[in-house]
Amino acid sequence: MTLMKSLMGAAAAVALTAGTALANPAVIFDLGGKFDKSFNEAAYNGAKRWADETGGKYLEIEMKSEAQREQALRRFAESGANPIITTGFAMSAPLEDVAGDYPDTKFVTIDGWVDAPNVHVVSFSEHEGSFLVGMLAAEASKSGTVGFIGGMDVPLIRKFACGYAQGVKAVNPDATVISNMTGTTPAAWNDPVKGSELTKAQISQGADVIYAAAGGTGVGVLQTAADEGILSIGVDSNQNHLHPGKVLTSMLKRVDVAVYNILMAGDELEVGKVTLDLSDDGVGYAMDEYNAELITDEMQTSVEEAKAQIIAGDIKVHNYTSDDSCPVLNF
């Protein structure tokens, strides 16, 4: 079976199960799948919430290879899906190639960048949320050494790492921040074994809190951290429940809210460029029953004060993607 036939079959199967109409929206999940417990799953939760609340139906596909990206976009556009939501920066290039061929279709890129009149661009201030969890990491660390494990080595993930390191250093200027990326290809998002190996390596260097911004790879980081008796920090979705009492917190990136709001807007979506930050709870940190005993009132008060200062502009968190540099961390 050819890749195109496989993709068409998958799309058709979804259409049949969804009872699709021409104006149904579509969601394209990035590599790692919609149940990656992180970025994609946040997007899925937003779509599911919309479907549950409205009774609406949507088309979907989970990317299995790079070759499917443009094919999925064209297939959904030709079927009449509108809007078409894409997740992940890797959809930028194929979306740029496709969007102009379907001027009446509204496309959405979450984490990507496309300058076209029918593409809605959604980004997040990940460096701000990462700053806050970095503060918590420094407060919780007993060794003075903390770690960061990213997925694919790209500017977006360096943005997470840089914000995190700034938060750590704000609490403890003498702290050591160890940073590793899982790889340089999209496979880096779904390699929990490599995530586990990197976690053990950082522990051997003294890290006792490790922040994972690595999609499905991060599941291996959190698991190994729990097994080895150190704390971890989740990302995108609230991952505190995966290892109760072992995950210090999770840096929330409200992809679910973005997807939900876009689907609620439907055909009325106003195309533009938006950045969700601390001021509108687009990013943040997770507090619940699973980590309540790990974070003291003093820790939370300190972080909330910093959050207010960032929103007010009194604390400036350097954005790695603004100049491809980080003042407190070398890559």
Side-chain angles (χ1 to χ4, degrees):
M1 181 181 291
T2 66
L3 185 59
M4 176 59 87
K5 288 181 179 178
S6 176
L7 176 65
M8 292 172 65
V14 172
L16 288 173
T17 57
T20 180
L22 286 179
N24 280 351
V27 182
I28 300 176
F29 297 103
D30 207 352
L31 297 174
K34 66 181 180 182
F35 295 122
D36 64 353
K37 297 182 173 62
S38 188
F39 177 78
N40 284 318
E41 192 157 336
Y44 167 72
N45 288 336
K48 185 176 185 298
R49 175 187 168 198
W50 170 80
D52 289 345
E53 290 184 6
T54 66
K57 307 293 183 181
Y58 65 92
L59 301 170
E60 65 174 39
I61 188 169
E62 300 174 71
M63 292 290 94
K64 301 299 182 184
S65 72
E66 293 296 308
Q68 286 183 299
R69 296 187 187 279
E70 182 171 339
Q71 295 169 358
L73 285 167
R74 292 190 182 280
R75 180 62 180 172
F76 284 143
E78 288 168 7
S79 75
N82 196 23
I84 298 172
I85 302 172
T86 70
T87 59
F89 66 89
M91 289 298 295
S92 299
L95 185 53
E96 190 168 25
D97 291 338
V98 170
D101 295 338
Y102 303 93
D104 296 327
T105 299
K106 293 178 181 179
F107 296 90
V108 178
T109 174
I110 298 178
D111 272 1
W113 179 261
V114 178
D115 187 10
N118 59 330
V119 177
H120 184 60
V121 178
V122 181
S123 60
F124 296 82
S125 294
E126 296 94 347
H127 55 305
E128 295 180 353
S130 295
F131 183 96
L132 300 185
V133 301
M135 290 183 64
L136 292 172
E139 293 277 8
S141 175
K142 295 179 174 59
S143 68
T145 297
V146 301
F148 174 87
I149 296 176
M152 187 176 174
D153 189 1
V154 291
L156 175 63
I157 300 304
R158 292 188 175 199
K159 181 181 177 184
F160 281 83
C162 186
Y164 174 68
Q166 290 173 80
V168 171
K169 295 287 188 177
V171 171
N172 180 6
D174 297 323
T176 298
V177 181
I178 305 167
S179 175
N180 294 112
M181 299 295 180
T182 304
T184 57
T185 70
W189 301 119
N190 195 26
D191 192 347
V193 173
K194 183 65 176 295
S196 176
E197 293 172 352
L198 290 172
T199 302
K200 290 179 180 178
Q202 292 194 356
I203 291 172
S204 72
Q205 298 174 70
D208 59 357
V209 184
I210 297 178
Y211 176 27
T217 298
V219 175
V221 176
L222 271 58
Q223 178 68 62
T224 301
D227 291 344
E228 298 292 328
I230 71 160
L231 294 172
S232 62
I233 296 174
V235 76
D236 295 340
S237 297
N238 184 352
Q239 298 179 317
N240 295 356
H241 68 282
L242 295 180
H243 301 283
K246 300 292 186 180
V247 180
L248 179 63
T249 188
S250 297
M251 200 291 280
L252 301 177
K253 179 174 171 177
R254 299 308 301 270
V255 177
D256 58 330
V257 174
V259 170
Y260 172 82
N261 289 341
I262 290 164
L263 291 174
M264 287 297 289
D267 291 342
E268 302 304 313
L269 175 68
E270 294 185 9
V271 174
K273 298 174 178 63
V274 298
T275 299
L276 304 180
D277 58 19
L278 284 178
S279 67
D280 49 25
D281 290 324
V283 293
Y285 65 100
M287 287 293 300
D288 56 27
E289 67 270 29
Y290 302 110
N291 71 334
E293 295 184 1
L294 300 175
I295 297 179
T296 66
D297 290 342
E298 291 78 12
M299 289 167 67
Q300 190 167 7
T301 296
S302 176
V303 170
E304 285 298 319
E305 289 176 352
K307 176 180 177 180
Q309 290 178 300
I310 293 171
I311 292 172
D314 297 327
I315 291 178
K316 304 289 187 183
V317 184
H318 182 75
N319 180 350
Y320 178 88
T321 59
S322 68
D323 61 2
D324 291 333
S325 74
C326 183
V328 296
L329 187 64
N330 294 320
F331 293 98

